[in-house]
Amino acid sequence: MTDAQPETPGVQAQYAARVAADLETNRKEQERIGAEVAALQEQLQALENDHAVLLSMQQALGSPGPATGKTKQQPSRPQKAVPAPRTSNSNSRPTRPTRSKKAVATKDKPTPNAPKVEAKAETQTQTQPSPSPKAGPTLVELIDDHLVQQNEPRSAAEITTALAQALPDRTVKTTVVRTTVEGLVAKGRVQRTKQGSSVFYTSAAPTEQSAAPQPETSSAN
């Protein structure tokens, strides 16, 4: 015991120094965390101000805004299962499937399907449109045939007059004839010549006289 007593003040001094150092470290850590908390609070305040400004701008524009982040969603509580009422064995009877009145009526009522099908087929055969008569030659064919038969150039008005006389039941306009002839000129089937302010058209197809082969002359030998 006499040897341990002199060492007690030295151990206490070491513990006191260690506690003082821990207190200083704790105080510095509190100051650091406090500074960080203050900075975070300033950032949070700035974000809240920006959020309020954005909400006011969104309301001014008239667009619906999402729910604010301040409203916290409460955790949904699990609903307790409600037990079904018990039925006594004496009152419980097996339920029979109920049939609708419409199904019963259609089942009991006989439907004459065969006569209806035959009548429908007859009406379809009666209402079928008769085949339309074959359409006549087109305006292109008429103009082409007319120009092939002519020996002299013809104007669009002359072609229209000739077609109207040949086909009295068909309406032929000069503007349509001129457009059709110009289309034949573009295809190379009709040639166009201009005399002053008038335009005349001739067929580009060879005539029968020019197309007929000439007889071969026998050699002198």
Side-chain angles (χ1 to χ4, degrees), residues 11-211:
V11 173
Q12 290 179 355
Q14 292 178 1
Y15 278 116
R18 183 176 297 176
V19 169
D22 292 340
L23 286 174
E24 183 66 20
T25 303
N26 191 322
R27 184 181 61 79
K28 292 181 179 179
E29 191 69 17
Q30 287 182 8
E31 291 178 356
R32 184 183 64 81
I33 294 176
E36 292 180 357
V37 169
L40 291 175
Q41 286 181 352
E42 291 180 358
Q43 294 179 5
L44 179 60
Q45 185 65 30
L47 291 174
E48 289 178 353
N49 295 335
D50 295 342
H51 185 266
V53 172
L54 292 173
L55 281 178
S56 61
M57 292 175 64
Q58 191 177 44
Q59 292 176 358
L61 293 174
S63 58
T68 57
K70 292 184 178 180
T71 58
K72 297 181 179 180
Q73 296 181 356
Q74 297 181 356
S76 59
R77 298 180 180 178
Q79 298 180 357
K80 296 182 179 179
V82 179
R86 297 181 180 179
T87 57
S88 60
N89 295 329
S90 59
N91 295 330
S92 62
R93 295 180 182 179
T95 57
R96 295 180 181 179
T98 58
R99 291 183 295 179
S100 61
K101 295 181 180 180
K102 187 176 181 180
V104 174
T106 54
K107 184 178 180 182
D108 297 338
K109 185 178 179 180
T111 55
N113 294 328
K116 286 186 177 181
V117 173
E118 294 178 358
K120 187 176 181 181
E122 292 178 358
T123 54
Q124 287 181 355
T125 55
Q126 293 177 1
T127 56
Q128 285 181 355
S130 59
S132 59
K134 186 177 180 181
T138 61
L139 185 60
V140 175
E141 295 175 352
L142 293 174
I143 295 174
D144 195 4
D145 294 340
H146 177 72
L147 291 176
V148 168
Q149 296 174 2
Q150 303 301 317
N151 296 326
E152 297 179 356
R154 299 294 179 181
S155 64
E158 293 175 348
I159 297 172
T160 305
T161 304
L163 293 179
Q165 293 177 358
L167 302 170
D169 57 343
R170 187 165 182 173
T171 304
V172 182
K173 295 183 179 181
T174 307
T175 55
V176 179
V177 170
R178 184 179 293 106
T179 304
T180 307
V181 177
E182 289 295 334
L184 293 173
V185 172
K187 294 180 180 179
R189 296 170 60 180
V190 174
Q191 294 179 356
R192 178 177 55 189
T193 58
K194 190 173 182 181
Q195 298 177 3
S197 60
S198 301
V199 179
F200 296 92
Y201 303 95
T202 56
S203 177
T207 60
E208 294 181 358
Q209 296 179 359
S210 61

